[in-house]
């Protein structure tokens, strides 16, 4: 190879990644299925002894537009996330991210760098109750659609409308919006990761079926009911709805539920009236909840009484029961006709979370409204706010630890970010919010406009900013020793925008038709692109998180970004010299990226650069990936 590799500026090819995973998992057992670089699914079925009938009907959730969803998922993003230092706090220190943009495009852009890295997701998507859900009329969700929607470009003939019940395909549109997002979000979860999705009665049935399809029915952890309000609504002729649903799905069986901390209320039932040396205890059940024929056996008490098994059988096998009788955990009544079990308090590690979450424990919508009001001088500029204790409960169950990433890609007013900051676990958040224009059609919208906000992302950023400032003020008041030093309070703001390379900024249609685009020289950095804009585009697309440590250094008198302590060197200089190439190779990086235009069409210089990096890598028995962009 005499020319450097071209750097791919598209987001991860999700389908290719999945094909690769499938091949890795099944390739050895079924080599005939993976012939000539493609997967023969009919052959797989045949190998497994199934009759292949192409017209066979399938059980599952179907809607108009479902097939299109796969195409949407597979269409890579050519957009970029641009840093917004002015809208950030502690940009260089913090590992928290606020991203303004359409979450579909953003989720695509996050695939390379955050694949399998997110521990917990909490989302509260539009519930499809009427006007709150906006959708492009022509089915095309791309960066161009987004820029049109956010009025950053001319309309171009594309129309948007709210999804109302009379608009036809009402549920279908909602499902088509959710499917690609949930699919891409699953990729971001760690194997021991978990997603919580809040929803109301409108779409719970569809959502549960959708998640079962995407995550697998074995991965449903819980269908939770959250009591969102306590006060009666003032009418008597219909049911007063006091709950929402929260679906919890895990990525795989590697996830386990973390128990909740016990409270005095949980411990109330324990006592020790007979001075049991094992401490406080309460009576527990010895019967099985499910019918277990193998656990149906008689027990003979020391006084010779034969105790008949309960209808479903005992809780344990005969031998385990015997051990528990010997240890005193299972005891006979004085007359020897019954047995009971003692559950000891000091053997309880915590409390299993329940599937009903009461407002008094996890907050109500009224409490959520008060939380946002307390940050905005008694005013609530947003109405569908969730109480932070609700997300805290979810993240406790997820077992969040220091450095874990939590994601919310329907951020709204930023409650998830608030909850993560509030928890003393030093986890990090990534939240994504559309710059949805605020309308004066609702009292909250009117108020938000009066308060000077024009979009919902403005509100969320401002809320997180105020939470951070409040915590910083509280920390200042403490002795420095007691302040949590590892909480890097703040957040880095980014916004979704076009690529910094003009060749990628064609419409999606043109891009698709022209396979040759990838082979063209990319020598058109857009006029308004700053070095930092380009840096973050390259960082993310090379698979580095947006919070990777970056230093600006000088090499051979040229400006170079050193990424992750020199693992990757990015040089955006418009004139590349042989000296610079030698010095870059000498620095021993794993990857080097330079602007194509820096070579000024000098193919010889480029070929020499390839050889220089190759020679250096051979000498060190390593590999240096050298790419231009
Ligand atoms: C129900 S609200 C979330 C409220 C949030 N949990 C809170 O406590 O404030 C849903 C949010 O998703 C946002 N949203 C809708 N479509 C989006 C998209 N495509 N990308 C990013 N955000 C979107 C809406 O603007 C809205 O703010």
């Amino acid at each position: 190879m005499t020319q450097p590799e071209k750097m791919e500026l598209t987001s991860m090819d999700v389908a290719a990644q999945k094909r690769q995973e499938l091949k890795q998992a099944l390739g050895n057992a079924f080599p005939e299925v993976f012939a000539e670089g493609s997967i023969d699914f009919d052959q797989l079925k045949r190998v497994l002894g199934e009759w292949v009938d192409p017209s066979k009907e399938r059980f599952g959730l179907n809607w108009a537009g479902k097939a299109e969803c796969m195409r949407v998922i597979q269409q890579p993003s050519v957009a970029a996330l641009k840093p917004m230092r002015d809208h950030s706090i502690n940009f260089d220190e913090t590992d928290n991210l606020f991203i303004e943009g359409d979450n579909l495009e953003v989720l695509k852009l996050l695939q390379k760098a955050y694949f399998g890295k997110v521990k917990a997701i909490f989302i509260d998507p539009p519930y499809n109750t009427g006007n709150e859900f906006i959708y492009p009329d022509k089915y095309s969700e791309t960066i161009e659609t987004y820029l049109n929607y956010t009025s950053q470009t001319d309309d171009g003939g594309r129309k948007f409308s709210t999804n109302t019940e009379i608009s036809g395909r009402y549920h279908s549109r909602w499902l088509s919006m959710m499917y690609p997002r949930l699919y891409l979000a699953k990729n971001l979860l760690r194997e021991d990761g978990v997603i919580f999705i809040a929803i109301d009665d409108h779409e719970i049935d569809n959502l549960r079926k959708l998640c079962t399809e995407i995550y697998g029915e074995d991965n449903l952890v819980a269908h939770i009911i959250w009591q969102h309000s306590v006060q009666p609504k003032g009418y008597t002729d219909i049911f007063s709805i006091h709950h929402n649903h929260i679906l919890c799905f895990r990525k795989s069986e590697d996830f386990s539920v973390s128990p909740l901390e016990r409270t005095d209320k949980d411990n109330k039932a324990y006592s020790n009236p007979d001075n049991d040396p094992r401490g406080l205890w309460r009576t527990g059940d010895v019967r099985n909840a499910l019918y277990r024929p193998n656990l149906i056996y008689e027990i003979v008490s020391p006084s010779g009484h034969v105790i008949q098994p309960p209808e479903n059988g005992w809780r344990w096998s005969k031998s385990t029961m015997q051990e528990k009788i010997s240890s005193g955990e299972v005891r006979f009544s004085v007359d020897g006709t019954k047995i009971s079990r003692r559950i000891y308090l000091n053997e309880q590690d915590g409390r299993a979370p329940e599937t009903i979450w009461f407002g008094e424990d996890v907050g109500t919508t009224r409490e959520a409204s008060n939380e946002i009001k307390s940050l905005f001088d008694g005013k609530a500029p947003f109405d569908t706010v969730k109480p932070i204790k609700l997300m805290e409960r979810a993240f406790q169950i997820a077992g969040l630890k220091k450095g874990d990433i939590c994601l919310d890609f329907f951020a709204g007013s930023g409650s998830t970010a608030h909850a993560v900051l509030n928890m003393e676990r030093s986890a990090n958040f990534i939240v994504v919010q559309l710059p949805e224009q605020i309308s004066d059609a609702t009292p909250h919208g009117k108020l938000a406009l009066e308060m000077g906000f024009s979009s919902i992302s403005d509100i969320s950023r401002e809320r997180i900013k105020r939470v951070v400032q409040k915590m910083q003020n509280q920390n200042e008041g403490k002795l420095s020793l007691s302040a949590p030093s590892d909480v890097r309070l703040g957040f880095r703001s980014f916004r979704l925008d076009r690529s910094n390379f003009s060749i990628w900024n064609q419409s999606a249609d043109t891009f698709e038709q022209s396979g040759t685009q990838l082979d063209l020289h990319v020598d058109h950095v857009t006029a308004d692109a700053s070095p930092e804009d380009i840096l973050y585009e390259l960082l993310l697309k090379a698979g580095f998180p947006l919070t990777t440590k970056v230093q600006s250094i000088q090499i051979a008198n040229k400006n170079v970004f050193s990424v992750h302590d020199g693992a990757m060197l990015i040089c955006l200089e418009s004139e590349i010299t042989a000296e610079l190439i030698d010095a870059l190779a000498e620095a021993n990086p794993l990857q080097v990226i330079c602007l194509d235009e820096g070579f000024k069409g000098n193919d010889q210089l480029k070929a020499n650069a390839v050889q220089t990096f190759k020679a250096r890598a051979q000498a060190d028995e390593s590999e240096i990936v050298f790419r231009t962009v």
Side-chain angles (χ1 to χ4, degrees), residues 101-104 124-127 181 382 384-386 408-415 432-434 436 456 463:
D102 166 45
N103 51 17
L104 178 67
D124 177 25
Y127 289 180
R181 288 161 172 87
F382 193 75
T384 55
V385 192
K386 294 282 171 286
D408 179 353
F409 49 93
F410 288 101
S413 66
S415 315
V432 186
Q433 173 57 41
L434 196 66
E436 186 177 327
I456 297 179
R463 174 179 182 178

Side-chain angles (χ1 to χ4, degrees), residues 294-483:
N294 56 328
L295 300 181
I296 295 180
Y297 53 87
E298 291 173 344
I299 296 174
V300 181
S301 75
S303 57
H305 264 98
V306 177
I307 304 173
Q308 293 303 319
E311 204 177 339
N312 283 346
W314 301 109
R315 213 176 171 102
W316 308 282
S317 69
K318 220 171 183 169
S319 59
T320 308
M321 181 69 91
Q322 200 46 56
E323 280 168 25
K324 290 186 183 288
I325 291 171
S326 307
S327 73
E329 183 181 332
V330 170
R331 297 176 179 225
F332 292 94
S333 59
V334 178
D335 62 4
T337 57
K338 286 189 213 110
I339 56 167
S340 66
R341 170 194 180 198
R342 286 188 175 191
I343 298 175
Y344 293 96
L345 181 58
N346 59 16
E347 288 170 10
Q348 304 307 306
D349 278 344
R351 187 183 100 230
E354 302 84 13
T355 49
I356 301 182
W357 294 4
F358 292 103
E360 62 174 354
D361 299 323
V362 297
T364 56
T365 41
R366 181 175 285 210
E367 204 167 314
S369 175
N370 289 337
E371 276 163 10
I372 195 167
K373 279 183 186 163
S374 74
L375 291 164
F376 288 102
D377 309 318
K379 296 174 192 158
F382 193 75
D383 62 347
T384 55
V385 192
K386 294 282 171 286
I388 60 169
K389 278 195 282 179
L390 186 73
M391 279 73 72
E392 284 183 13
R393 165 68 59 95
F395 294 146
Q396 276 164 11
I397 292 168
L400 215 61
K401 295 199 176 59
K402 185 174 174 182
D404 285 350
I405 300 175
C406 306
L407 170 68
D408 179 353
F409 49 93
F410 288 101
S413 66
S415 315
T416 298
H418 189 163
V420 173
L421 288 166
N422 204 47
M423 292 176 83
E424 287 175 2
R425 298 187 181 212
S426 303
N428 302 119
F429 64 77
I430 302 177
V431 297
V432 186
Q433 173 57 41
L434 196 66
E436 186 177 327
Q437 296 308 301
I438 294 169
S439 134
D440 62 2
T442 66
H444 289 277
K446 263 197 194 113
L447 186 61
L449 291 169
E450 274 167 30
M451 289 165 78
F453 295 115
S454 56
S455 71
I456 297 179
S457 47
D458 284 345
I459 299 178
S460 23
R461 248 188 322 251
E462 185 58 31
R463 174 179 182 178
I464 306 170
K465 215 176 238 179
R466 289 180 185 216
V467 172
V468 168
Q469 278 159 354
K470 199 169 158 187
M471 295 180 103
Q472 281 172 337
N473 293 343
Q474 281 164 357
N475 281 351
E476 267 168 32
K478 290 184 192 167
L479 283 174
S480 57
L481 273 179
S482 63

